[in-house]
Amino acid sequence: MKAKEERFFTIRDVQRILVCIAAGTVMAVNLRTFVHTGGLLPGGIAGLTVLVQGIFQRFFGMDVPYGRLYLALNAFPILLAVRKIGKKFTAYSCITIGVVTILTEILPTTTITYDTLLISIFGGIINGAAISMALLAGATTGGTDFVAIYLSERYSMDGFNYVLGFNAVILCCAGLLFGWDKALYSIIFQFASTQVIHVLNNRYKKNTLFIVTDKPDEVVRCLNSDVRHGVTEMHVFGTYRRQERTMIYSVISTPELKMVLKDLKEVDPAAFINVIKTDQVSGRFYIKPND
């Protein structure tokens, strides 16, 4: 029992906590600099929070604290994450949410530039980097990120594209209420953020492998040892040497690709391997669950 308790909290857990704190700090600083100066709407719950703040300030003359409102709007996504994604994953995400909540209320507003286009581009890049940091640690920055991850794991699709649709609704509301200039600049901000996430986060990306080999049994054993995906063996005919060959077909996740290619080259250095990016699969595809 004592050994299990000692292993319950590992160095990896400490690293994840530190990265979550860093991600929350970067996001909070971005909100208090670029986003606040440009009057932009960031994506997801953060953008909804800014929109609700603007509504209360304009129509009711009330200043609603960003941090507490942001925390309240995250309540439902947090419950969804606990039930559908994982308790430990949600706990780490709450660390990031807590850091953003606290720092956005205590950090002073700082202006780096008044150029709205620069704010939109670089603010979006920093926002996407903060979200990617949290995803790297096995967490999120909260809000619609929970929904995006749930859709990605449940339906093997890129859920962040659907979140972009939710953000479009928020921007339309902001445009109708407060003018279209800031809404249009916010589209640039959110597009830049989404592109950074797509580049840095490869957890839900997939690759199709076509392996032509003379050692099919060894290749199949290698794949079964490295990953938990189905493998299909096909008998084909090589026209160059005019002889029977074997082609192995499998779909694996992008984070597994480097290790698999390395091991395959050790098993069969003469194997011909074609790697194709896969946008979507239908059917059972194993994704390592969030803890």
Side-chain angles (χ1 to χ4, degrees), residues 95-116:
I95 294 174
T96 306
I97 295 170
V99 171
V100 174
T101 301
I102 295 170
L103 292 184
T104 49
E105 294 201 8
I106 65 175
L107 288 176
T109 302
T110 304
T111 300
I112 297 176
T113 176
Y114 290 101
D115 190 313
T116 311

Side-chain angles (χ1 to χ4, degrees), residues 17 28-29 45 68 75 79 86 93 115 137-138 141 152 157 189 239 255 264:
I17 291 173
V29 170
I45 296 298
R68 279 163 275 185
L79 291 175
S93 301
D115 190 313
T141 54
S152 297
M157 62 175 63
F189 176 96
T239 58
L264 286 175

Side-chain angles (χ1 to χ4, degrees), residues 152-219:
S152 297
E153 295 190 351
R154 179 68 176 81
Y155 299 104
S156 295
M157 62 175 63
D158 192 342
F160 286 97
N161 286 332
Y162 289 86
V163 171
L164 193 60
F166 171 79
N167 293 336
V169 174
I170 294 178
L171 292 175
C172 288
C173 294
L176 290 171
L177 292 172
F178 306 112
W180 289 101
D181 284 353
K182 299 300 183 184
L184 294 175
Y185 276 118
S186 296
I187 292 176
I188 299 175
F189 176 96
Q190 294 181 16
F191 178 78
S193 179
T194 303
Q195 293 307 304
V196 171
I197 295 171
H198 283 162
V199 171
L200 298 181
N201 178 44
N202 61 7
R203 173 177 170 80
Y204 302 105
K205 294 179 181 177
K206 305 171 185 66
N207 293 275
T208 297
L209 295 181
F210 289 101
I211 308 163
V212 180
T213 178
D214 291 324
K215 301 179 180 179
D217 294 337
E218 291 87 341
V219 169

Side-chain angles (χ1 to χ4, degrees), residues 54-279:
I55 291 173
F56 271 89
Q57 190 173 42
R58 177 170 180 175
F59 296 102
F60 303 103
M62 297 173 58
D63 289 325
V64 180
Y66 178 91
R68 279 163 275 185
L69 179 59
Y70 177 75
L71 186 62
L73 292 176
N74 268 291
F76 172 74
I78 288 173
L79 291 175
L80 173 68
V82 169
R83 296 186 60 183
K84 300 296 185 180
I85 300 177
K87 295 180 180 178
K88 198 171 182 181
F89 175 87
T90 307
Y92 284 116
S93 301
C94 287
I95 294 174
T96 306
I97 295 170
V99 171
V100 174
T101 301
I102 295 170
L103 292 184
T104 49
E105 294 201 8
I106 65 175
L107 288 176
T109 302
T110 304
T111 300
I112 297 176
T113 176
Y114 290 101
D115 190 313
T116 311
L117 181 59
L118 290 177
I119 290 172
S120 303
I121 295 173
F122 287 97
I125 291 173
I126 294 172
N127 186 70
I131 294 173
S132 299
M133 287 171 63
L135 293 172
L136 180 65
T140 72
T141 54
T144 51
D145 291 351
F146 285 129
V147 179
I149 289 173
Y150 171 70
L151 292 174
S152 297
E153 295 190 351
R154 179 68 176 81
Y155 299 104
S156 295
M157 62 175 63
D158 192 342
F160 286 97
N161 286 332
Y162 289 86
V163 171
L164 193 60
F166 171 79
N167 293 336
V169 174
I170 294 178
L171 292 175
C172 288
C173 294
L176 290 171
L177 292 172
F178 306 112
W180 289 101
D181 284 353
K182 299 300 183 184
L184 294 175
Y185 276 118
S186 296
I187 292 176
I188 299 175
F189 176 96
Q190 294 181 16
F191 178 78
S193 179
T194 303
Q195 293 307 304
V196 171
I197 295 171
H198 283 162
V199 171
L200 298 181
N201 178 44
N202 61 7
R203 173 177 170 80
Y204 302 105
K205 294 179 181 177
K206 305 171 185 66
N207 293 275
T208 297
L209 295 181
F210 289 101
I211 308 163
V212 180
T213 178
D214 291 324
K215 301 179 180 179
D217 294 337
E218 291 87 341
V219 169
V220 170
R221 280 197 297 269
C222 176
L223 289 171
N224 288 333
S225 173
D226 284 351
V227 297
R228 296 180 58 180
H229 305 298
V231 179
T232 301
E233 182 177 314
M234 295 174 280
H235 296 286
V236 295
F237 185 79
T239 58
Y240 181 72
R241 293 186 178 178
R242 311 299 298 177
Q243 63 183 28
E244 296 286 340
R245 304 293 298 275
T246 302
M247 184 163 66
I248 307 297
Y249 164 84
S250 184
V251 180
I252 66 174
S253 62
T254 298
E256 300 165 331
L257 181 61
K258 185 176 180 180
M259 174 189 66
V260 168
L261 291 178
K262 176 178 176 293
D263 291 345
L264 286 175
K265 282 300 182 182
E266 292 178 358
V267 169
D268 184 7
F272 180 83
I273 305 172
N274 185 15
V275 181
I276 302 173
K277 291 183 179 180
T278 302
D279 292 329

